[in-house]
């Protein structure tokens, strides 16, 4: 429950900012872009998804992420890196 709350707060706080950074002429804009990101995030394993969301949209430190997930700082960083590697092929067209 603690992890779900952390993820929800991070997404709620940063959701408008994600849509705002879409460059014009991008193949996906606004709601479509947000939906693509959300869909790709849902496909990640839970721990990796939470680490990615907490770091990117929550702006948390590795120690804060580790504490929220119940893992070490190093493990939190590895979960984040794995999540990004998994997202890259799915979201490559958005970059």
């Amino acid at each position: 429950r603690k992890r779900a709350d952390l993820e929800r707060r991070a997404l709620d706080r940063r959701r408008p900012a994600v849509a705002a950074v879409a460059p014009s002429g991008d193949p996906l804009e606004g709601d479509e872009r947000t939906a693509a990101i959300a869909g790709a995030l849902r496909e990640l394993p839970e721990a990796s998804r939470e680490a990615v969301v907490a770091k990117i949209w929550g702006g948390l430190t590795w120690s804060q992420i580790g504490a929220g997930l119940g893992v070490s700082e190093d493990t939190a960083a590895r979960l984040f890196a794995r999540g990004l590697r998994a997202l890259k092929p799915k979201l490559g067209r958005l970059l």
Side-chain angles (χ1 to χ4, degrees):
R1 177 158 165 76
K2 185 187 235 183
R3 287 184 219 171
D5 288 342
L6 175 70
E7 181 180 346
R8 181 187 45 76
R9 284 194 310 267
L11 281 173
D12 288 346
R13 201 173 325 141
R14 299 294 181 161
R15 187 168 283 137
V18 172
V21 297
S24 78
D26 209 33
L28 295 174
E29 292 185 21
D31 291 336
E32 291 178 41
R33 183 183 181 100
T34 302
I37 293 168
L41 284 170
R42 277 192 296 274
E43 294 177 15
L44 292 178
E46 183 178 349
S48 290
R49 179 179 61 243
E50 291 171 7
V52 169
V53 169
K55 186 65 175 172
I56 293 176
W57 288 283
L60 301 181
T61 64
W62 297 127
S63 57
Q64 291 170 320
I65 295 169
L69 295 174
V71 299
S72 71
E73 294 176 27
D74 289 338
T75 301
R78 279 193 294 275
L79 289 168
F80 174 78
R82 286 182 197 148
L84 287 185
R85 277 194 304 273
L87 288 174
K88 186 175 180 178
K90 296 173 186 175
L91 300 176
R93 66 178 189 237
L94 298 178
L95 301 175

